[in-house]
Amino acid sequence: MDSLLNRLLARLTNTRSGERTVALLMFAYSFLVMTSHNILTPLTEGTFIKGLGANRMPWVQLAAGLLIGVIMQLYTYASGRLPRRRVIPATLALVVVLLLGFWVLLRPDATVVAVGLYL
């Protein structure tokens, strides 16, 4: 790592020399995840509202909450039974496959796909 960047991080954070690279990568990952979430949320909501109307949004949000609860239970079960070195890459691969699938399927008239993307 560059010595100027190393000195700057040493002053800004309470990290040791070997931890700064990992901390910087974790920050970049978090920043990119939050940025992509903030870009995708209005896109999916707008696509959903355009396709099915705003009056159905509360039902989809209820379904999303229930679906997230089920998915979290399954993830907790899987991460307790399988080694993390397998669960985390499998989860990331599934997210990539889902995003690529939605990218291929999402068309202006595909309202069912918009609901799936929102969920």
Side-chain angles (χ1 to χ4, degrees):
M1 197 184 294
D2 183 27
S3 62
L4 177 63
L5 182 60
N6 201 7
R7 286 193 310 254
L8 181 64
L9 286 175
R11 289 183 183 211
L12 294 175
T13 63
N14 187 16
T15 56
R16 291 183 219 123
S17 178
E19 299 172 333
R20 292 188 188 113
T21 303
V22 174
L24 196 58
L25 289 173
M26 288 173 56
F27 171 78
Y29 173 76
S30 297
F31 176 77
L32 291 173
V33 166
M34 286 185 274
T35 301
S36 63
H37 178 267
N38 288 336
I39 291 170
L40 285 176
T41 298
L43 174 73
T44 57
E45 286 181 4
T47 305
F48 174 79
I49 289 172
K50 181 182 173 192
L52 294 176
N55 58 340
R56 294 189 180 149
M57 189 67 131
W59 293 106
V60 174
Q61 287 178 339
L62 177 64
L66 294 173
L67 183 65
I68 289 169
V70 170
I71 289 172
M72 290 306 297
Q73 288 296 325
L74 292 173
Y75 184 80
T76 302
Y77 178 79
S79 64
R81 304 278 186 264
L82 302 171
R84 287 191 182 157
R85 69 179 188 273
R86 300 211 188 260
V87 172
I88 293 172
T91 303
L92 292 175
L94 179 65
V95 169
V96 167
V97 167
L98 285 172
L99 285 174
L100 287 174
F102 283 122
W103 180 62
V104 169
L105 295 174
L106 195 60
R107 302 284 179 244
D109 59 341
T111 56
V112 174
V113 179
V115 172
L117 181 61
Y118 185 81
L119 291 176

